[in-house]
Amino acid sequence: MLKLASVVTAYGNTEVLHGVSLHVRAGEVVALVGANGAGKSTLLNTISGIVPARRGSVLFDGKEIGRAAADRIVRLGLSHVPEGRQLFGPLSVRDNLLLGAYSRGRADTRAHLHDDLEHVLDTFPRLRERLEQRAGTLSGGEQQMLAIARGLMARPKLLLFDEPSMGLAPRVMEEIFRAIGELRHQGLTVLLVEQNARWALRIADRGYVLENGRLVLDGTAEEMLDNREVQRAYLGKGYREVWE
């Protein structure tokens, strides 16, 4: 579904991604882990059209999108849940959700929008209780739920997540990751950027490690959990006891 080949991305004269190649198959959850400053967010921004690729190829469903406009990429079926959520704070939860469907245009009927709204509210029941509340007054966990639900309103084939656990308490993190796992069971394809490698690899099929703008390791989630270098750098001592 998604294939990057030798992608180079830069901000001005500063090159951030140095020939990155990866792929995501339909129906997979793929985790991208790495330290702060490794280039993870830049990689997602390149895929979603926020920062165009300087060189290389980004194919989504067989179409080149490496230098396409962000709104066209959304219409093709790729949504991005950004780091920091980036909600419209003064607007209600309902209005934020409806804005997530803007790319679908006038061809969609109100009935379709209503059905999709009901679906995301079933996925995140807490949002149903706060539909008329301003997004900026929600808790951090509720804001993350809203950011994900807004991305789902575009009816994506592939959803990009950028640090969904950032700033959340462990109990709320578990709820968010459980929801991501449920989306996978519903057939959605996910590319997940997450500094907390333990949580990410727990729900992923495969993973990649990004260091200083270069991919240095890839494999199944199980292989990466068993890899001593990954354990040392990203999982921490005793990580097995957290899940077993």
Side-chain angles (χ1 to χ4, degrees):
M1 177 175 283
L2 177 71
K3 183 177 181 180
L4 277 66
S6 303
V7 168
V8 173
T9 301
Y11 296 103
N13 294 324
T14 304
E15 191 174 293
V16 178
L17 299 179
H18 315 292
V20 172
S21 298
L22 61 78
H23 67 278
V24 181
R25 303 182 188 96
E28 282 190 314
V29 173
V30 174
L32 179 67
V33 301
N36 285 334
K40 304 186 304 295
S41 293
T42 297
L43 180 56
L44 291 195
N45 289 340
T46 299
I47 295 169
S48 63
I50 297 172
V51 181
R54 189 69 59 88
R55 294 193 300 277
S57 174
V58 181
L59 292 176
F60 176 62
D61 261 0
K63 299 179 178 66
E64 174 59 54
I65 61 169
R67 283 162 285 279
D71 60 333
R72 175 174 176 261
I73 292 172
V74 175
R75 288 196 298 272
L76 289 172
L78 192 154
S79 287
H80 186 174
V81 180
E83 181 181 1
R85 296 138 200 170
Q86 298 183 26
L87 302 172
F88 298 96
L91 300 184
S92 69
V93 169
R94 183 191 301 274
D95 286 343
N96 271 270
L97 291 172
L98 293 177
L99 283 169
Y102 84 95
S103 64
R104 290 161 53 176
R106 297 180 179 179
D108 270 315
T109 65
R110 289 190 176 185
H112 289 152
L113 289 176
H114 178 267
D115 289 345
D116 290 342
L117 185 61
E118 286 298 307
H119 174 70
V120 299
L121 294 177
D122 286 343
T123 303
F124 299 104
R126 207 178 308 176
L127 297 180
R128 189 184 296 277
E129 304 168 7
R130 291 158 172 73
L131 268 177
E132 307 310 326
Q133 187 172 329
R134 286 187 300 160
T137 66
L138 300 177
S139 69
E142 291 165 348
Q143 289 188 13
Q144 187 62 64
M145 294 174 193
L146 179 54
I148 296 171
R150 182 182 61 183
L152 292 172
M153 287 295 292
R155 285 191 178 179
K157 302 173 186 175
L158 171 63
L159 196 58
L160 309 178
F161 285 96
D162 196 351
E163 302 285 5
S165 75
M166 180 178 290
L168 301 183
R171 178 182 58 81
V172 182
M173 288 168 57
E174 186 170 357
E175 189 173 353
I176 294 296
F177 277 94
R178 186 183 299 115
I180 296 172
E182 177 58 30
L183 294 175
R184 186 257 299 274
H185 293 317
Q186 295 173 13
L188 188 64
T189 306
V190 172
L191 177 58
L192 170 64
V193 158
E194 177 57 53
Q195 189 174 356
N196 192 319
R198 288 181 294 181
W199 290 83
L201 292 172
R202 185 189 184 195
I203 66 168
D205 299 293
R206 295 187 299 109
Y208 293 90
V209 175
L210 189 69
E211 290 185 359
N212 298 318
R214 291 181 171 85
L215 291 177
V216 296
L217 184 68
D218 68 273
T220 68
E222 184 176 356
E223 289 169 345
M224 295 185 72
L225 286 168
D226 288 336
N227 184 287
R228 290 188 177 183
E229 287 302 309
V230 175
Q231 292 174 18
R232 177 189 58 77
Y234 302 108
L235 300 180
K237 184 179 180 181
Y239 82 94
R240 282 290 187 189
E241 287 78 2
V242 174
W243 304 118
E244 298 180 353

